[in-house]
Amino acid sequence: MRVVDFQRTLLLMRSVRATIRMMTLVGVLAVAGGAVSYSAGPAQVGQDAAAAPRVLKVEGAVATSLTLTPEDLAKMPRATATLTSDGTTVTYEGVLLYDVLAKAGWQFGRGMTGKGMASYVAATARDGYQVIFTMAELDPMFAGEKVLIADKADGAALPGREMPFRVVAPGDKMHARSIYSVVKLEVVRLRP
Protein backbone atom coordinates (compact mmCIF):
# COMPACT_ATOMS: atom_id res chain seq x y z
CA MET A 1 0.00 0.00 0.00
CA ARG A 2 1.39 3.39 -0.93
CA VAL A 3 1.78 6.13 1.67
CA VAL A 4 -0.78 8.31 -0.11
CA ASP A 5 -3.36 5.49 -0.08
CA PHE A 6 -2.65 4.83 3.59
CA GLN A 7 -3.15 8.51 4.45
CA ARG A 8 -6.45 8.63 2.50
CA THR A 9 -7.66 5.49 4.28
CA LEU A 10 -6.73 6.98 7.66
CA LEU A 11 -8.58 10.23 6.88
CA LEU A 12 -11.63 8.27 5.72
CA MET A 13 -11.63 6.23 8.95
CA ARG A 14 -11.45 9.41 11.05
CA SER A 15 -14.31 10.89 9.06
CA VAL A 16 -16.44 7.78 9.59
CA ARG A 17 -15.73 7.82 13.36
CA ALA A 18 -16.69 11.50 13.55
CA THR A 19 -19.91 10.81 11.65
CA ILE A 20 -20.78 7.93 13.99
CA ARG A 21 -20.17 10.14 17.04
CA MET A 22 -22.39 12.87 15.60
CA MET A 23 -25.15 10.37 14.77
CA THR A 24 -24.93 8.96 18.31
CA LEU A 25 -25.25 12.45 19.79
CA VAL A 26 -28.25 13.22 17.57
CA GLY A 27 -29.84 9.92 18.62
CA VAL A 28 -29.29 10.67 22.31
CA LEU A 29 -30.83 14.11 21.92
CA ALA A 30 -33.80 12.63 20.06
CA VAL A 31 -34.33 10.04 22.82
CA ALA A 32 -34.15 12.80 25.42
CA GLY A 33 -37.36 14.06 23.86
CA GLY A 34 -36.47 17.70 23.90
CA ALA A 35 -35.23 17.65 27.50
CA VAL A 36 -32.17 19.52 26.29
CA SER A 37 -32.81 22.98 24.92
CA TYR A 38 -30.02 25.12 23.59
CA SER A 39 -32.25 28.12 22.92
CA ALA A 40 -33.42 28.66 26.49
CA GLY A 41 -31.95 31.69 28.19
CA PRO A 42 -31.31 31.91 31.96
CA ALA A 43 -34.79 33.28 32.67
CA GLN A 44 -36.42 30.40 30.75
CA VAL A 45 -34.31 27.81 32.59
CA GLY A 46 -35.38 29.30 35.93
CA GLN A 47 -39.05 29.23 34.89
CA ASP A 48 -38.80 25.61 33.74
CA ALA A 49 -37.15 24.59 37.03
CA ALA A 50 -39.81 26.36 39.09
CA ALA A 51 -42.62 24.69 37.10
CA ALA A 52 -41.15 21.17 37.34
CA PRO A 53 -42.35 18.76 40.04
CA ARG A 54 -40.48 19.38 43.28
CA VAL A 55 -39.58 15.88 44.37
CA LEU A 56 -36.39 14.02 45.26
CA LYS A 57 -36.30 10.33 44.45
CA VAL A 58 -34.15 8.08 46.67
CA GLU A 59 -33.61 4.65 45.14
CA GLY A 60 -31.14 1.87 44.52
CA ALA A 61 -29.66 -0.33 47.26
CA VAL A 62 -31.89 1.03 50.04
CA ALA A 63 -34.52 -0.81 52.07
CA THR A 64 -37.25 1.65 51.05
CA SER A 65 -37.32 3.81 47.94
CA LEU A 66 -38.57 7.31 48.69
CA THR A 67 -40.11 10.22 46.83
CA LEU A 68 -39.57 13.26 49.03
CA THR A 69 -41.20 16.67 48.70
CA PRO A 70 -40.13 19.92 50.39
CA GLU A 71 -42.93 19.27 52.91
CA ASP A 72 -41.39 15.87 53.73
CA LEU A 73 -37.97 17.45 54.27
CA ALA A 74 -39.51 20.15 56.49
CA LYS A 75 -40.61 17.42 58.93
CA MET A 76 -37.09 15.97 59.23
CA PRO A 77 -34.24 17.22 61.46
CA ARG A 78 -32.92 20.46 59.92
CA ALA A 79 -29.35 21.62 59.43
CA THR A 80 -27.54 24.56 57.82
CA ALA A 81 -24.35 24.95 55.81
CA THR A 82 -22.67 27.90 54.15
CA LEU A 83 -20.92 28.18 50.81
CA THR A 84 -18.73 31.06 49.74
CA SER A 85 -18.21 31.50 46.02
CA ASP A 86 -16.95 34.53 44.11
CA GLY A 87 -16.98 36.60 47.31
CA THR A 88 -20.63 35.81 48.11
CA THR A 89 -21.63 33.72 51.10
CA VAL A 90 -24.97 31.89 51.10
CA THR A 91 -26.42 30.00 54.05
CA TYR A 92 -28.38 26.93 52.95
CA GLU A 93 -30.95 25.07 55.04
CA GLY A 94 -32.16 21.53 54.61
CA VAL A 95 -31.62 17.96 55.76
CA LEU A 96 -28.35 16.09 56.06
CA LEU A 97 -27.83 13.56 53.27
CA TYR A 98 -27.03 11.09 56.06
CA ASP A 99 -30.55 11.54 57.51
CA VAL A 100 -32.21 11.16 54.10
CA LEU A 101 -30.37 7.88 53.46
CA ALA A 102 -31.10 6.63 56.99
CA LYS A 103 -34.82 7.35 56.36
CA ALA A 104 -34.56 5.17 53.24
CA GLY A 105 -33.20 2.37 55.42
CA TRP A 106 -29.46 2.50 54.70
CA GLN A 107 -27.58 0.92 57.60
CA PHE A 108 -24.75 3.20 58.68
CA GLY A 109 -22.22 2.48 61.45
CA ARG A 110 -21.44 -1.17 62.17
CA GLY A 111 -24.19 -2.21 59.74
CA MET A 112 -22.11 -0.76 56.93
CA THR A 113 -18.81 -2.55 57.60
CA GLY A 114 -17.68 -5.28 55.22
CA LYS A 115 -19.37 -5.22 51.84
CA GLY A 116 -21.25 -2.01 52.64
CA MET A 117 -17.94 -0.13 52.63
CA ALA A 118 -17.87 -0.51 48.84
CA SER A 119 -20.97 1.66 48.41
CA TYR A 120 -21.73 5.18 47.28
CA VAL A 121 -24.59 7.52 46.54
CA ALA A 122 -24.88 9.27 43.18
CA ALA A 123 -26.72 12.60 43.22
CA THR A 124 -28.23 13.42 39.84
CA ALA A 125 -29.33 16.86 38.68
CA ARG A 126 -32.18 17.52 36.26
CA ASP A 127 -29.68 18.00 33.39
CA GLY A 128 -28.01 14.63 34.08
CA TYR A 129 -24.95 15.99 35.90
CA GLN A 130 -23.89 13.58 38.64
CA VAL A 131 -21.65 13.64 41.68
CA ILE A 132 -20.63 10.83 44.02
CA PHE A 133 -20.31 10.58 47.81
CA THR A 134 -19.06 7.43 49.48
CA MET A 135 -21.14 6.14 52.35
CA ALA A 136 -18.12 6.18 54.68
CA GLU A 137 -17.56 9.90 54.17
CA LEU A 138 -21.19 10.59 55.20
CA ASP A 139 -21.23 8.27 58.24
CA PRO A 140 -20.46 9.98 61.59
CA MET A 141 -18.62 6.81 62.71
CA PHE A 142 -16.18 7.29 59.82
CA ALA A 143 -15.56 10.71 58.20
CA GLY A 144 -18.91 12.27 59.13
CA GLU A 145 -19.01 14.92 56.38
CA LYS A 146 -22.03 17.20 56.79
CA VAL A 147 -23.48 17.10 53.27
CA LEU A 148 -26.81 18.88 53.02
CA ILE A 149 -29.84 18.39 50.80
CA ALA A 150 -30.94 22.03 50.79
CA ASP A 151 -34.39 23.42 50.05
CA LYS A 152 -33.74 26.99 51.25
CA ALA A 153 -31.07 29.64 50.68
CA ASP A 154 -30.65 32.59 53.05
CA GLY A 155 -34.01 31.84 54.66
CA ALA A 156 -36.02 31.82 51.40
CA ALA A 157 -36.89 29.26 48.75
CA LEU A 158 -34.03 28.24 46.48
CA PRO A 159 -33.58 30.38 43.38
CA GLY A 160 -35.39 28.95 40.33
CA ARG A 161 -32.33 27.41 38.67
CA GLU A 162 -31.38 25.59 41.92
CA MET A 163 -34.82 24.01 42.48
CA PRO A 164 -36.05 21.61 43.59
CA PHE A 165 -33.08 20.76 45.84
CA ARG A 166 -29.39 21.48 46.07
CA VAL A 167 -26.57 19.34 47.40
CA VAL A 168 -24.29 21.43 49.60
CA ALA A 169 -20.89 19.95 50.46
CA PRO A 170 -19.26 22.71 52.55
CA GLY A 171 -16.23 20.57 53.43
CA ASP A 172 -15.09 20.39 49.80
CA LYS A 173 -12.38 22.89 48.87
CA MET A 174 -13.92 23.18 45.39
CA HIS A 175 -17.70 23.29 45.18
CA ALA A 176 -18.05 21.02 42.13
CA ARG A 177 -20.09 18.50 44.17
CA SER A 178 -22.43 21.20 45.53
CA ILE A 179 -24.79 20.74 42.62
CA TYR A 180 -28.22 22.23 42.13
CA SER A 181 -31.50 21.03 40.58
CA VAL A 182 -31.03 17.64 42.24
CA VAL A 183 -33.85 15.22 41.46
CA LYS A 184 -32.43 11.80 42.36
CA LEU A 185 -30.20 10.05 44.87
CA GLU A 186 -29.20 6.52 43.93
CA VAL A 187 -27.39 4.23 46.34
CA VAL A 188 -25.05 1.78 44.64
CA ARG A 189 -23.51 -1.19 46.42
CA LEU A 190 -20.51 -2.45 44.46
CA ARG A 191 -20.28 -5.71 46.40
CA PRO A 192 -23.76 -7.25 46.82
Side-chain angles (χ1 to χ4, degrees):
M1 177 179 270
R2 296 184 329 204
V3 173
V4 173
D5 289 338
F6 177 75
Q7 288 174 338
R8 284 184 186 149
T9 303
L10 187 59
L11 285 172
L12 179 63
M13 288 173 58
R14 286 183 182 156
S15 176
V16 168
R17 276 191 238 140
T19 302
I20 290 171
R21 283 189 202 118
M22 182 58 75
M23 291 173 64
T24 302
L25 178 61
V26 168
V28 167
L29 292 174
V31 170
V36 178
S37 172
Y38 294 102
S39 61
Q44 180 66 37
V45 171
Q47 290 171 358
D48 292 345
R54 296 181 62 195
V55 296
L56 176 65
K57 293 186 180 275
V58 183
E59 51 194 40
V62 291
T64 306
S65 294
L66 302 173
T67 300
L68 300 171
T69 64
E71 294 77 20
D72 295 326
L73 288 187
K75 296 174 188 171
M76 296 177 68
R78 305 293 284 178
T80 60
T82 58
L83 285 183
T84 300
S85 179
D86 299 326
T88 303
T89 299
V90 178
T91 300
Y92 289 93
E93 181 184 333
V95 176
L96 291 177
L97 177 54
Y98 169 86
D99 289 331
V100 171
L101 297 174
K103 181 175 179 73
W106 181 260
Q107 296 295 308
F108 285 102
R110 297 201 186 285
M112 194 175 73
T113 59
K115 293 180 179 182
M117 292 300 292
S119 301
Y120 64 87
V121 58
T124 304
R126 183 175 288 111
D127 66 359
Y129 185 76
Q130 291 184 306
V131 297
I132 303 294
F133 295 93
T134 66
M135 295 309 213
E137 74 182 299
L138 300 173
D139 191 329
M141 290 187 71
F142 294 93
E145 291 293 323
K146 304 292 186 199
V147 177
L148 192 69
I149 302 298
D151 56 2
K152 293 185 178 183
D154 288 335
L158 291 174
R161 74 182 193 132
E162 294 185 21
M163 287 183 169
F165 304 100
R166 178 171 185 152
V167 171
V168 179
D172 288 357
K173 292 180 181 178
M174 290 184 63
H175 299 304
R177 293 195 300 173
S178 291
I179 66 172
Y180 54 84
S181 297
V182 176
V183 293
K184 182 171 79 168
L185 301 171
E186 182 178 6
V187 175
V188 177
R189 185 185 292 255
L190 297 176
R191 295 176 58 198

